[in-house]
Amino acid sequence: MPARPTFDLVVAANRLPVDQVARPDGDIEWQRSPGGLVTAMESVMHDQAGAWVGWAGEAGAAPAPFEDSGIYLRPVALSAEEVRDYYEGFSNDTLWPIYHDVIVPASFHREWWSAYEKVNRRFAEAVVEVAAPGARVWIQDYQLQLVPALVREARPDVRIGWFDHIPFPPVGLFAQLPWRLQLLEGLLGADFLGFQRRADAQNFVRACRELLNAKTQRDTVTVPGSDRRVRASAVPISVDFAGLDELARRPETIARSREIRTSLGDPKVLMLGVDRLDYTKGIQHRLKAYHELLDEHRIGPPEVTLVQVATPSRERVEAYRTLRDEIEQTVGRINGEFGQIGAPAVHYLHHSHPREEMAALYLAADVMLVTPLRDGMNLVAKEYVACRYDLGGALVLSEFAGAWHELHQTFACNPHDIEGLKQTILRAITTPDKEKRRMMRALRRRVADHDVQRWAARFLGALDIAPERPSLDPSTGHHHGDEPDMRSNEARGMTQ
Ligand code: ADQ
């Protein structure tokens, strides 16, 4: 029997970067899913072969490992019960609400936790199987928080990193979790932990200090009972700037964006929202502000219109079904009151679109509304910026999105403050083009410099030097990985 292949770089994520699609002849084929993580990995995997461990998206037996565009894919099987308990349950109905400020209440069920443990163990076994001696292992996100310690136990030779795509909650919220100690101990199996914002890393370090009684110094935690140190710091994720910029400049994208505007009746102002249909995204707050602006005759169709794209998401979790009903009811009410024949006030699209169509929508939109109540980063904000090669458009951005800590030249808003949100939307509409172009130029500079390729390189760079190197750069007094300009919004506080 041939030896199983092993790799120097192993990525583990809940999902593999491919989707199963049925061909018309009934055969199944795999299609690369277009997410930013895949682009980031391609950029670091081009000079070394890598493996990706993840679920293939269908309950039941896992397909055999296979190769796709140079990446070795190692599927992990999940039974239907495990999808329910580990994924929909513990990941999306326990951790997700706790990590997002309990916008909806979290559910705690011991059998969900057992499934989470069991599935994390299965992921760890798959990682161990494909990792070469001394490999770098990069574990993604909140679904796999126990994997770092499980991998370390079996394979002390490998370097282990974990990246948190969502916020890490303040200790007061995190402490509600009955399994808080196991989660912290799971994460402390890593050498380096990456977060979207400095505040997230600090929340983690503080949780270790207060709940595990661990010794901490700035961004470093000493694992209790050992002298091993783990670093936790901010490495904010980004988008494939060059790829999106190129896509937006294509004549067919430009033509499609004109066509979109024409089919909407050539409004003076086209506003756009693009979100996964999730209660963290502040879609209701946005619709409420829009509704009031219409009601007060400050704006109205056909001059101003709103396109809201809401991608279906987690529809088997009750909070998401309720949210969908609420949003669809609100959209119906707004259109009933303010729509005209051929000119609805809200164009609501509940399906996903190819990249090309997304780029055309971004290019068509005069005002992009990104108003989450809490969001790890929010890639939509950065994608919009990357597509606006023409320096057109205006970005309304919530202070509660990780992106706000990097993108300073936006129309910043607090989505809870409906009156303030309305004023901000009006300002985004009425600010002179010259000023908006200046803002967009600054935003594009930031995203171009900090693209997803750089994010991956920075994460792996930090993983390579952690934890032997001192975490403070003696020449500047700054932490490695913290850009001075990322700190300024945080330093100004959330009260501006
Ligand atoms: P998400 O919560 O999924 O990600 P976000 O960062 O906005 O949020 O990414 C959504 C992605 O889906 C974007 O790339 C967007 O273009 C795409 N998308 C949305 N609607 C779509 C549609 N109708 N059709 C096609 N594509 C659509 C989590 C965290 C975020 C963090 C990311 C990455 O919650 O805070 O930014 O991970 O770390």
Side-chain angles (χ1 to χ4, degrees), residues 261 264-271 299-306 364-367 428-430 433 436:
R261 289 191 73 106
L264 293 169
D266 274 321
K268 280 208 192 72
V269 180
L270 170 54
M271 301 207 280
I299 57 173
E303 290 81 20
V304 178
T305 193
L306 168 65
D366 303 298
V367 178
I429 295 175
T430 55
D433 281 354
K436 288 198 265 204

Side-chain angles (χ1 to χ4, degrees), residues 16-81:
L16 285 174
V18 289
D19 292 312
Q20 238 177 38
V21 286
R23 282 207 308 246
D25 62 8
D27 274 8
I28 296 292
E29 64 176 13
W30 295 97
Q31 222 169 57
R32 183 60 70 94
S33 39
L37 198 55
V38 186
T39 316
M41 290 313 140
E42 277 166 352
S43 72
V44 292
M45 282 181 181
H46 57 218
D47 45 357
Q48 63 174 166
W52 190 309
V53 171
W55 176 45
E58 300 282 337
F66 60 101
E67 205 195 290
D68 184 89
S69 329
I71 304 180
Y72 180 83
L73 303 179
R74 164 61 167 90
V76 173
L78 294 183
S79 68
E81 295 73 37

Side-chain angles (χ1 to χ4, degrees), residues 222-241:
T222 304
V223 180
S226 83
D227 57 4
R228 205 167 62 77
R229 290 184 311 142
V230 180
R231 244 189 92 209
S233 58
V235 188
I237 198 168
S238 192
V239 297
D240 177 18
F241 183 89

Side-chain angles (χ1 to χ4, degrees), residues 34-37 96 100 140-142 163-167 196 236-239 244 273-278 280-281 309-314 349-355 358 361-362 370 374-381 383 401-403 455:
L37 198 55
W96 183 268
H100 288 88
Q140 311 285 333
D141 230 356
Y142 62 103
F163 183 76
D164 186 15
H165 290 259
I166 68 174
Q196 302 278 27
I237 198 168
S238 192
V239 297
L244 287 165
V274 171
D275 312 81
R276 226 171 13 78
L277 215 163
D278 196 297
T280 58
K281 303 291 182 183
V309 181
T311 321
S313 182
R314 306 177 187 171
L349 305 166
H350 183 252
H351 43 84
S352 86
H353 297 280
R355 270 176 95 233
M358 300 296 289
L361 274 166
Y362 290 142
V370 179
R374 179 58 74 199
D375 213 334
M377 174 55 60
N378 195 294
L379 294 180
V380 168
E383 288 167 1
W455 167 75

